[in-house]
Amino acid sequence: MTEFQETFRSAVPPWECDIVEHFTVAYYYEKFRAAGDRALLGLGVLAKEARTTSCYTRYKKELRAGDTYRIVSAPIRATGGDTGGGWGGGLTIGHKLIDMEEDVVAATTEQTFALDSPVSLDGYAEWDGEAREARPAVGDAATWVPAATDVVLPKDVDAAGRLTLDAMVHRFTAAGGHLLNAIGWTSSHMRDNRVGYSTFEFQMTLGALPWVGVPLDTESTIGAIGRSSMRMVHRMIRADTGDMVAELSQFGVHLDMNARRPSSIPTEIAEAARALAGE
């Protein structure tokens, strides 16, 4: 059985925290991207020879400024078949982000790659991450909110010249702010009431990744609404071709920032969210 190997180790600086005062999701993805590259190198694969096609992340314990952590990674499954020179097709790397103070898993990610060439595998690591739940598609009656408009910048691309995971998530985070504002979950609501939106799940699917200069549009809507939880759905589209770049299902809660616990979504915000979802 393949063992998990350390692929990243660092600490959370204050500038990588968000309005909810904890490690923001885009920086998780910056570190998971680096961990994925290190894991691939351990298998003899250069990062530019593999393209991420999907990610499934569960955020289990929040990290705050000053917290130290490490990531351990290993191959957990593959698709395709034996090419005679190795395994070709898709490869999923499992990442565990571990809070060093308490020595507990704070987040897990399943990062699936499409490979340009076969990879030799000695086996897979046992994976104990939470099973992915099927989330229903957004209904036809939902209203999509324009949530991000920009262009791919040189700082947004990897060694292969493609838009990075963390650059996407930074855009989706901004898109979430516009979507929340559209239902009355505004920045002033969060500041005045010491509440925020705290993410506990990502399900992201990627298409062909764009390069520097490509214009991007992102639109967002509500996928589900509960007493304290809400699922946002974002889709990023190439403005020049209309091709899908990525779609993200983002599940989170209305967080009481003082108690650091979920709290009830105000009735007027919940009603606005249901209207946007077409319920």
Side-chain angles (χ1 to χ4, degrees):
M1 189 71 80
T2 297
E3 299 293 329
F4 281 89
Q5 303 292 326
E6 183 170 299
T7 50
F8 197 87
R9 179 183 289 248
S10 191
V12 180
W15 57 87
E16 291 186 352
C17 294
D18 56 20
I19 191 174
V20 189
E21 301 171 0
H22 61 198
F23 199 23
T24 191
V25 288
Y27 287 113
Y28 276 89
Y29 263 74
E30 180 180 274
K31 318 316 178 190
F32 283 133
R33 174 168 64 93
D37 290 353
R38 283 289 296 259
L40 289 173
L41 284 172
L43 297 171
V45 179
L46 297 177
K48 64 182 180 180
E49 297 172 346
R51 180 178 66 83
T52 303
T53 58
S54 71
C55 289
Y56 168 52
T57 301
R58 293 286 297 196
Y59 303 94
K60 303 163 71 69
K61 177 185 181 296
E62 64 178 359
L63 295 179
R64 306 187 72 182
D67 286 343
T68 55
Y69 64 92
R70 68 189 187 111
I71 299 174
V72 295
S73 310
I76 58 173
R77 61 179 171 271
T79 59
D82 189 343
T83 65
W87 198 271
L91 175 68
T92 299
I93 301 290
H95 305 291
K96 300 179 184 182
L97 188 149
I98 300 167
D99 176 352
M100 296 293 287
E101 179 178 355
E102 299 185 16
D103 193 28
V104 296
V105 175
T108 60
T109 286
E110 299 175 29
Q111 182 181 9
T112 300
F113 297 91
L115 303 175
D116 289 346
S117 57
V119 59
S120 178
L121 295 173
D122 295 328
Y124 306 113
E126 183 177 355
W127 182 244
D128 56 1
E130 295 183 45
R132 185 187 310 223
E133 293 187 39
R135 304 299 183 191
V138 173
D140 293 338
T143 300
W144 290 85
V145 174
T149 305
D150 64 356
V151 66
V152 180
L153 301 174
K155 67 181 180 64
D156 296 329
V157 299
D158 59 17
R162 299 179 296 222
L163 184 66
T164 65
L165 293 172
D166 38 303
M168 288 182 212
V169 177
H170 276 299
R171 286 163 169 80
F172 286 138
T173 297
H178 283 277
L179 178 62
L180 293 175
N181 186 72
I183 59 174
W185 191 328
T186 62
S187 55
S188 59
H189 165 72
M190 290 188 276
R191 287 191 296 267
D192 294 346
N193 296 282
R194 289 285 296 163
V195 296
Y197 182 87
S198 180
T199 301
F200 64 80
E201 180 190 88
F202 265 12
Q203 293 195 31
M204 183 161 60
T205 303
L206 285 67
L209 302 178
W211 49 89
V212 172
V214 171
L216 300 174
D217 288 339
T218 302
E219 55 186 7
S220 306
T221 192
I222 305 298
I225 181 79
R227 184 189 68 82
S228 61
S229 64
M230 188 175 74
R231 182 169 69 98
M232 299 189 283
V233 180
H234 314 284
R235 55 191 185 193
M236 181 182 294
I237 300 164
R238 284 189 56 158
D240 54 346
T241 65
D243 293 337
M244 184 74 70
V245 174
E247 181 168 300
L248 172 65
S249 169
Q250 178 180 7
F251 228 138
V253 297
H254 188 267
L255 182 74
D256 180 324
M257 290 172 56
N258 292 326
R260 310 308 297 181
R261 294 181 60 84
S263 57
S264 297
I265 298 171
T267 301
E268 63 275 16
I269 293 177
E271 290 176 349
R274 291 190 180 94
L276 205 65
E279 294 182 5

